[in-house]
Amino acid sequence: MTRTTNFQGWVLTVGLLLGVLAGGWCAPATGQISWGRGKERKPMLPNPYTFNVPRDTLLDAIRQVLSDRELVLDEKLSAEKPGRLVTKPVIFTRGALTSGANLEFIARRPGGGNFTWVRGRYALELEALPLDPQRTQLTVYARIEGEYQTETGGVWVECPSKGIKENEILEAIIKHLNGES
């Protein structure tokens, strides 16, 4: 009887020791995984944003930033109004598994969860208005659309922007003008 009791005590002691060690190892590891929580988001930039550069300098910087991001200008739409640049639509997400979440991150999806979203695309419109010879006001608009499937094919639906893409491009233009990469 004593051997069994000693053996059970030993197993219990080893089990407790392993439990404490495992708990000690697991606690710091889970503490380091944030899953996107606790991150401080930078505040959104004002849109329209005022730059202390002439309009021509700003438009050149915008063209360079768009080129760096592989966003193609729609020359026909851009030529309609001076100081306005419009990009061609870019598909930023594909697939029924991820499109809905990716679309929801940058826009408000109409219809909620009623649709199976299969693609998302956006186009940017940037309008530079000179305030005076040395200052320019830039307004950025993002036209975001999601595609869902019906029996007859895909249907593109406009989704109201949350300002994420607009803010990204404003930040990139500011960095470019400040000489940052």
Side-chain angles (χ1 to χ4, degrees):
M1 281 274 228
T2 11
R3 287 189 93 172
T4 308
T5 308
N6 285 342
F7 181 72
Q8 288 173 344
W10 181 81
V11 169
L12 182 62
T13 304
V14 170
L16 285 173
L17 182 61
L18 288 176
V20 168
L21 288 176
W25 287 332
C26 292
T30 57
Q32 293 175 0
I33 299 173
S34 67
W35 302 107
R37 293 185 202 127
K39 288 185 182 178
E40 289 186 32
R41 281 196 170 176
K42 291 189 289 184
M44 299 285 263
L45 294 169
N47 189 11
Y49 189 88
T50 301
F51 289 89
N52 292 321
V53 295
R55 182 168 81 171
D56 292 337
T57 305
L58 181 59
L59 290 173
D60 290 340
I62 292 168
R63 284 186 182 94
Q64 183 61 48
V65 168
L66 294 177
S67 173
D68 292 347
R69 291 175 167 253
E70 298 179 3
L71 297 170
V72 179
L73 280 177
D74 186 328
E75 297 298 337
K76 182 180 175 189
L77 291 175
S78 297
E80 290 178 1
K81 185 176 177 186
R84 184 175 89 161
L85 299 173
V86 181
T87 66
K88 292 183 177 181
V90 175
I91 293 180
F92 69 94
T93 186
R94 289 187 169 109
L97 293 177
T98 59
S99 292
N102 291 340
L103 198 56
E104 183 65 32
F105 181 72
I106 66 169
R108 289 172 189 81
R109 297 178 298 172
N114 297 335
F115 302 124
T116 301
W117 300 95
V118 293
R119 288 194 293 179
R121 68 182 178 192
Y122 71 93
L124 297 174
E125 180 180 340
L126 300 98
E127 193 168 357
L129 300 171
L131 299 175
D132 58 42
Q134 292 301 313
R135 292 184 317 138
T136 308
Q137 187 178 59
L138 178 68
T139 306
V140 182
Y141 306 97
R143 188 181 74 247
I144 302 168
E145 298 175 315
E147 181 187 24
Y148 67 90
Q149 290 294 321
T150 66
E151 296 81 25
T152 58
V155 176
W156 286 99
V157 178
E158 190 163 342
C159 303
S161 175
K162 290 182 178 178
I164 305 287
K165 286 294 175 189
E166 294 91 328
N167 200 60
E168 281 179 8
I169 203 74
L170 280 171
E171 286 178 349
I173 293 166
I174 291 169
K175 285 181 180 180
H176 180 79
L177 288 170
N178 288 335
E180 301 171 28
S181 58

